[in-house]
């Protein structure tokens, strides 16, 4: 089984569904996983730590330190240890804390330190689950890249019948097992992702740039790494950080620096996704000193930058996959197809600035994928993490 040997951190919150955590722990251990359990204080009222410690064959963590010895239970070490962090059951209270970064217990502090994929299985009563605040909180933590294992429909502890019942342990186990199976699909592949803007210097203070945040490229890099690829992320200026240890980040500033980084890595790459918003022009002369604002008029001579995507396309070898992006404002599909053909791409991801919620700086995107056979697939507005999954599914199809 793909789950054998995996290190799984199981978070248990205070819910009547906590009793299911015992069966879930047993299933994971029986499959060969190394399981460590973190319980909230409220969870210990529903199921004893001794039960989960016996089943997991590991100590159970519930406080920041051991009261008898004072020894520290490091949330940072726990977050780094795990291959997956599974929170089941995830209560409305804990989901709200995850959404807003509150860490008043060991479980939520570990969540903020986790470098691995995080899965959560909601468990609560029907009205709590349907409440707009809960639905908003679920959407928020999904936008952060966390993965929901959806609750089922059935009889609830209140006596009501409806949604909110935690997925059964067997369902959760199958979900996690499938995830670990699918993460092997790109193992052994080398990938390049470019992300963010480039800044083209005018003088030591000023530059030509754009509003790209890098969010789309970073999401693609995380998804490729999650699928097992060895990822080189070449990023222009961005405040974003990476989570997966399979990502090597190369920071660059200008289009020339990005070109050099791509040229070094491209010959050995299997997959290259060029999502960076590279400047089309740069100043012909960069002033060594800050330009004074004395003249009433100021003229800046610009020259074209090297088209990195076209250069990669011209040297692409059989077996290499090259993906480009097109951000258009008019004649979107026609312009994207022209770019696809001209630059020898396997497929192009089209954004339209006319679509609300798409483009620079947002947490969402609305894309159309066009491949070299001119198959066109339209997608609805999604989080950039979800868009990254769609792009990677297309890459896997081609491989």
């Amino acid at each position: 089984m793909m789950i054998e040997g995996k290190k799984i951190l199981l978070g248990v919150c205070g819910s009547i569904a906590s009793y299911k955590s015992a069966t879930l722990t047993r299933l994971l251990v029986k499959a060969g996983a190394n399981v460590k359990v973190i319980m909230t204080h409220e969870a210990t009222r529903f199921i004893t730590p001794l039960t989960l410690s016996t089943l997991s064959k590991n100590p159970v963590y519930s406080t920041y330190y051991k009261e008898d010895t004072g020894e520290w239970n490091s949330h940072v070490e726990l977050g780094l240890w795990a291959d997956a962090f599974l929170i089941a059951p995830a209560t409305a209270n804990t989901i709200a804390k995850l959404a807003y970064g509150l860490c008043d217990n060991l479980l939520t502090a570990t969540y903020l330190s986790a470098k691995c994929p995080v899965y959560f299985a909601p468990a609560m009563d029907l009205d709590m689950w349907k409440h707009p605040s809960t639905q908003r909180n679920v959407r928020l933590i999904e936008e952060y890249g966390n993965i929901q294992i959806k609750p089922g429909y059935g009889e609830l502890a209140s006596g009501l019948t409806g949604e909110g019942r935690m997925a059964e342990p067997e369902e959760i186990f199958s979900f996690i097992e499938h995830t670990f199976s699918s993460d092997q699909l790109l193992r052994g592949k080398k990938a390049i992702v470019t992300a963010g803007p480039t800044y083209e210097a005018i003088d030591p203070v000023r530059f030509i740039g754009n509003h790209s945040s890098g969010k789309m490229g970073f999401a693609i890099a995380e998804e490729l790494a999650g699928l097992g690829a060895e990822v080189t992320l070449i990023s222009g200026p961005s405040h974003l950080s990476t989570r997966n240890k399979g990502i090597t980040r190369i920071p660059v500033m200008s289009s020339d620096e990005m070109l050099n980084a791509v040229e070094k890595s491209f010959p050995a790459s299997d997959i290259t996704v060029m999502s960076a918003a590279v400047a089309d022009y740069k100043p012909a002369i960069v002033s060594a000193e800050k330009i004074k604002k004395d003249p009433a008029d100021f003229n800046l001579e610009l020259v074209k930058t090297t088209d990195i995507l076209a250069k990669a396309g011209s040297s692409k070898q059989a077996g290499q996959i090259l993906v480009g992006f097109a951000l258009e404002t008019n004649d979107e599909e026609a312009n994207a197809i022209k770019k696809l053909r001209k630059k020898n791409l396997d497929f192009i991801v089209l954004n339209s600035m006319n679509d609300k919620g798409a483009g620079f700086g947002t947490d969402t995107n609305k894309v159309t994928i066009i491949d070299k056979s001119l198959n066109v697939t339209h997608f609805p507005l999604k989080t950039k993490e979800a868009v990254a999954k769609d792009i990677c599914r297309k890459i896997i199809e081609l491989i």
Side-chain angles (χ1 to χ4, degrees):
M1 289 186 180
M2 292 296 183
I3 211 164
E4 186 174 359
K6 297 295 185 182
K7 294 175 286 188
I8 298 178
L9 196 58
L10 176 61
V12 182
C13 304
S15 164
I16 188 63
S18 299
Y19 79 91
K20 296 182 180 180
S21 301
T23 302
L24 179 57
T25 301
R26 184 176 180 277
L27 289 170
L28 292 167
V29 171
K30 188 176 180 181
N34 187 359
V35 180
K36 292 185 179 181
V37 179
I38 302 177
M39 303 179 72
T40 64
H41 174 70
E42 291 76 14
T44 63
R45 298 174 181 269
F46 290 92
I47 184 171
T48 67
L50 179 60
T51 298
L52 295 178
S53 176
T54 302
L55 291 170
S56 68
K57 301 180 175 62
N58 278 310
V60 167
Y61 304 88
S62 60
T63 59
Y64 286 108
Y65 61 91
K66 299 175 184 177
E67 294 186 3
D68 52 344
T69 64
E71 184 181 350
W72 179 246
N73 291 325
S74 173
H75 59 281
V76 175
E77 288 182 8
L78 287 167
L80 291 173
W81 173 83
D83 294 315
F85 188 5
L86 169 61
I87 303 173
T91 59
N93 184 47
T94 292
I95 288 172
K97 290 178 181 180
L98 303 184
Y100 291 96
L102 302 179
C103 54
D104 60 354
N105 60 44
L106 185 62
L107 189 154
T108 51
T110 303
Y111 161 77
L112 290 178
S113 301
K115 299 295 184 184
C116 60
V118 177
Y119 305 85
F120 65 102
M124 64 199 74
D125 206 68
L126 171 64
D127 294 327
M128 297 172 70
W129 174 244
K130 292 292 187 182
H131 197 281
S133 62
T134 300
Q135 292 301 308
R136 179 194 59 200
N137 292 338
V138 168
R139 286 193 300 271
L140 268 176
I141 61 177
E142 286 184 319
E143 286 174 11
Y144 301 155
N146 305 309
I147 302 159
Q148 180 190 172
I149 303 174
K150 293 185 178 181
Y153 182 96
E155 185 179 352
L156 304 168
S158 64
L160 298 175
T161 299
E163 282 186 301
R165 182 186 179 99
M166 188 180 92
E168 294 303 316
E170 293 78 9
E171 295 172 327
I172 297 172
F173 174 81
S174 295
F175 189 100
I176 298 297
E177 185 180 38
H178 173 74
T179 298
F180 280 124
S181 298
S182 65
D183 76 359
Q184 308 298 308
L185 292 175
L186 295 180
R187 188 165 299 281
K189 301 293 184 182
K190 294 182 182 294
I192 299 170
V193 179
T194 66
T198 63
Y199 289 174
E200 311 300 328
I202 298 172
D203 61 22
V205 177
R206 304 175 182 91
F207 61 85
I208 297 171
N210 57 63
H211 297 296
S212 174
S213 65
K215 289 179 180 178
M216 191 69 255
F218 274 67
I220 293 167
E222 293 285 357
E223 182 64 18
L224 286 169
L227 289 163
E230 181 184 328
V231 180
T232 299
L233 173 62
I234 303 169
S235 173
S238 175
H239 69 280
L240 301 174
S241 58
T242 57
R243 293 166 62 96
N244 194 297
K245 296 175 185 177
I247 300 172
T248 299
R249 182 175 177 179
I250 300 176
V252 298
M253 187 69 68
S254 67
S255 59
D256 286 338
E257 290 177 2
M258 185 168 284
L259 171 65
N260 291 335
V262 170
E263 286 186 324
K264 287 179 182 177
S265 300
F266 185 72
S269 76
D270 301 294
I271 303 158
T272 301
V273 183
M274 306 282 272
S275 66
V278 182
D280 294 318
Y281 294 89
K282 63 182 179 180
I285 299 173
V286 179
S287 174
E289 299 178 352
K290 180 183 176 184
I291 299 171
K292 301 299 181 183
K293 60 177 180 180
D294 295 336
D297 296 316
F298 175 67
N299 295 315
L300 184 66
E301 183 183 356
L302 300 177
V303 295
K304 273 192 172 183
T305 59
T306 301
D307 190 326
I308 304 173
L309 183 58
K311 192 158 188 180
S314 67
S315 63
K316 181 164 73 85
Q317 302 296 310
Q320 286 187 302
I321 291 174
L322 181 60
V323 180
F325 275 67
L327 180 61
E328 303 291 344
T329 58
N330 62 288
D331 298 327
E332 290 96 335
E333 287 194 19
N335 287 328
I337 290 170
K338 183 178 178 181
K339 186 174 182 179
L340 168 78
R341 289 171 165 164
K342 184 178 180 181
K343 301 189 181 183
N344 192 26
L345 308 181
D346 290 280
F347 68 88
I348 193 162
V349 182
L350 169 63
N351 303 122
S352 173
M353 287 293 287
N354 297 316
D355 290 328
K356 187 178 179 181
F360 291 152
T362 65
D363 293 323
T364 56
N365 210 351
K366 184 178 181 182
V367 304
T368 298
I369 291 179
I370 308 173
D371 66 24
K372 58 187 178 183
S373 299
L374 299 188
N375 297 307
V376 179
T377 307
H378 300 283
F379 295 90
L381 185 70
K382 299 184 179 186
T383 65
K384 287 185 173 175
E385 289 79 10
V387 173
K389 291 181 185 298
D390 292 331
I391 292 169
C392 290
R393 270 194 288 269
K394 183 67 175 179
I395 290 170
I396 289 166
E397 284 177 17
L398 294 177
I399 291 175

